[in-house]
């Protein structure tokens, strides 16, 4: 009898619409693999609980993106219910979503990271930052380049808008050069992609608008740089205890060499997403990748 998989999508974050695209792709792929599939658009936690009680799925495929989906929240909820779910567990998700913690763990693995400072929005405006221009502003815990600003001069500060003055942001030294990304699939990194956005930088629009970004696969970089990036992806995947898939983002130029920016423990699954593209490059189809995630699903034991 085929496993019943509940595909969880939508959610409450800025990335809701992208999550719905990921979810629909996953639904089609799992039906192709003959799973019994239930779709659920998460808009109300109590309704989600009712659906879980009614459907009693064997696995929840977590196709949520951003806060509540990638940060350990839904993972902890499903751990308590003892329902296996795809991607990384609560601890790995929580650590990976925090860009400052990720950098601390990366440094402990010998991975080079960009100079940065964690600071509250109000303190940034009142006291400035120790990081000299040019720099990048980004939320400590958010994904898909939401709320990211590149500050090349004081004039660029005029565009910065954060609604919550108590929110923690990262001020990170701007690293010029190539934007690289490396997926880790089942603990193994296979190839490096260079991302060439036609916009100013690889923002939310560039990620999810067809034709706005060019993916160079494999990246046109020295072989030793590619190998270092792949080893970094595997090291950080293990350090965080990620499950099945993760993806690191790196900047590279000849002077600085490769510099890690962050890890994504819950990469997107849309038609434009980078992990399915790298998987396909090494012979893993989209449907096979979805099945890998289902078969490796798990949850934290209550005895752990």
């Amino acid at each position: 009898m085929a496993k019943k998989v509940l595909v969880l999508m939508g959610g409450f974050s800025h990335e809701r619409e992208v999550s719905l695209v990921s979810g629909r792709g996953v639904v089609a792929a799992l039906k192709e693999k003959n799973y019994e599939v239930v779709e659920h658009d998460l808009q109300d936690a109590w309704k989600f609980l009712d659906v879980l009680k009614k459907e009693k799925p064997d696995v929840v495929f977590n196709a949520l993106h951003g806060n509540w989906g990638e940060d350990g929240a839904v993972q902890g909820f499903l751990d308590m219910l003892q329902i296996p779910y795809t991607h990384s567990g609560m601890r790995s998700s929580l650590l990976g979503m925090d860009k400052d913690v990720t950098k601390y763990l990366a440094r402990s693995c010998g991975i080079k990271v960009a100079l940065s400072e964690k600071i509250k929005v109000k303190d940034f405006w009142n006291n400035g930052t120790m990081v000299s221009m040019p720099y990048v502003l980004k939320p400590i815990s958010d994904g898909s380049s939401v709320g990211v600003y590149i500050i090349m001069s004081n004039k660029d500060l005029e565009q910065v808008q954060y609604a919550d003055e108590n929110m923690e942001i990262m001020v990170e030294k701007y690293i010029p050069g190539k934007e690289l990304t490396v997926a880790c699939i089942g603990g193994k990194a296979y190839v490096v992609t260079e991302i060439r956005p036609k916009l100013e930088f690889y923002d939310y629009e560039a990620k999810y608008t067809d034709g706005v970004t060019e993916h160079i696969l494999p990246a046109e970089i020295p072989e030793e740089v590619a190998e270092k990036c792949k080893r970094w992806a595997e090291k950080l995947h293990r350090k965080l205890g990620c499950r099945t898939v993760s993806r690191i983002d790196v900047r590279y130029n000849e002077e600085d060499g490769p510099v890690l920016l962050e890890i994504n423990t819950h990469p997107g699954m849309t038609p434009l997403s980078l992990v399915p593209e790298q998987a396909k490059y090494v012979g893993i189809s989209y449907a096979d990748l979805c099945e890998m995630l289902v078969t490796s699903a798990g949850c934290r034991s209550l005895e752990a």
Side-chain angles (χ1 to χ4, degrees), residues 25-50:
V26 170
V27 167
L30 292 180
K31 285 182 177 178
E32 179 186 325
K33 289 289 187 178
N34 296 316
Y35 287 93
E36 182 181 354
V37 181
V38 178
E39 303 175 40
H40 185 69
D41 178 356
L42 178 62
Q43 299 184 64
D44 180 297
W46 291 107
K47 288 182 181 178
F48 177 43
L49 186 58
D50 288 341

Side-chain angles (χ1 to χ4, degrees), residues 1-303:
M1 185 175 176
K3 277 187 175 181
K4 180 185 283 191
V5 181
L6 187 149
V7 179
L8 184 63
M9 64 184 92
F12 314 115
S13 78
H14 296 294
E15 300 171 67
R16 171 179 167 76
E17 293 305 317
V18 175
S19 169
L20 291 171
V21 176
S22 282
R24 292 173 192 132
V26 170
V27 167
L30 292 180
K31 285 182 177 178
E32 179 186 325
K33 289 289 187 178
N34 296 316
Y35 287 93
E36 182 181 354
V37 181
V38 178
E39 303 175 40
H40 185 69
D41 178 356
L42 178 62
Q43 299 184 64
D44 180 297
W46 291 107
K47 288 182 181 178
F48 177 43
L49 186 58
D50 288 341
V51 170
L52 290 174
K53 288 193 290 186
K54 175 187 174 184
E55 298 291 346
K56 296 180 174 56
D58 298 300
V59 172
V60 170
F61 193 110
N62 181 12
L64 297 172
H65 298 319
N67 288 316
W68 301 101
E70 297 185 41
D71 59 5
V74 75
Q75 291 85 355
F77 179 67
L78 293 170
D79 282 339
M80 289 292 290
L81 295 174
Q82 290 292 277
I83 300 174
Y85 52 89
T86 61
H87 298 80
S88 295
M90 181 182 72
R91 177 180 175 275
S92 303
S93 302
L94 179 63
L95 294 175
M97 193 68 165
D98 188 311
K99 296 177 178 65
D100 193 56
V101 171
T102 295
K103 286 193 169 189
Y104 172 82
L105 294 171
R107 282 192 296 267
S108 75
C109 296
I111 297 172
K112 184 178 181 179
V113 300
L115 173 70
S116 63
E117 178 184 18
K118 181 172 75 170
I119 190 170
K120 286 187 177 181
V121 171
K122 63 181 179 182
D123 294 329
F124 171 76
W125 287 124
N126 292 334
N127 306 318
T129 175
M130 69 171 190
V131 182
S132 59
M133 286 186 189
Y135 54 73
V136 180
L137 300 178
K138 59 179 81 171
I140 285 289
S141 297
D142 218 330
S144 281
S145 302
V146 173
V148 176
Y149 299 93
I150 297 178
I151 308 300
M152 307 299 286
S153 68
N154 286 327
K155 185 170 178 56
D156 291 329
L157 290 169
E158 297 173 7
Q159 67 183 312
V160 177
Q161 294 183 7
Y162 292 118
D164 181 3
E165 66 172 10
N166 289 307
M167 182 177 73
E168 289 186 321
I169 58 174
M170 174 175 285
V171 187
E172 181 179 71
K173 185 67 179 173
Y174 175 74
I175 307 295
K178 295 186 176 185
E179 184 97 10
L180 307 176
T181 195
V182 191
C184 197
I185 304 172
K188 175 72 173 173
Y190 295 95
V191 67
V192 181
T193 299
E194 180 190 346
I195 301 162
R196 291 183 186 172
K198 296 175 183 176
L199 300 176
E200 183 179 358
F201 79 106
Y202 191 51
D203 61 4
Y204 187 86
E205 180 182 351
K207 286 184 180 183
Y208 300 117
T209 305
D210 198 5
V212 174
T213 301
E214 183 181 6
H215 295 173
I216 311 301
L217 181 64
E220 297 170 350
I221 55 176
E223 182 63 27
E224 62 269 21
V225 174
E227 288 303 312
K228 178 176 280 191
C229 290
K230 288 189 283 186
R231 298 296 81 78
W232 283 2
E234 293 170 359
K235 274 187 178 182
L236 206 50
H237 184 94
R238 290 193 299 269
K239 185 72 174 180
L240 268 68
C242 296
R243 193 165 61 212
T244 313
V245 298
S246 65
R247 198 195 78 233
I248 65 167
D249 295 330
V250 175
R251 295 285 285 188
Y252 166 71
N253 62 63
E254 290 186 4
E255 181 179 347
D256 296 305
V259 181
L260 178 86
L261 297 180
E262 58 190 74
I263 189 171
N264 187 336
T265 62
H266 198 97
M269 294 289 286
T270 76
L272 299 179
S273 294
L274 293 152
V275 170
E277 184 179 58
Q278 290 197 357
K280 182 180 179 181
Y281 180 81
V282 296
I284 303 170
S285 71
Y286 183 89
D288 287 341
L289 180 61
C290 290
E291 184 166 51
M292 284 176 62
L293 284 156
V294 169
T295 55
S296 64
C299 59
R300 182 184 177 191
S301 168
L302 291 179
E303 286 74 42

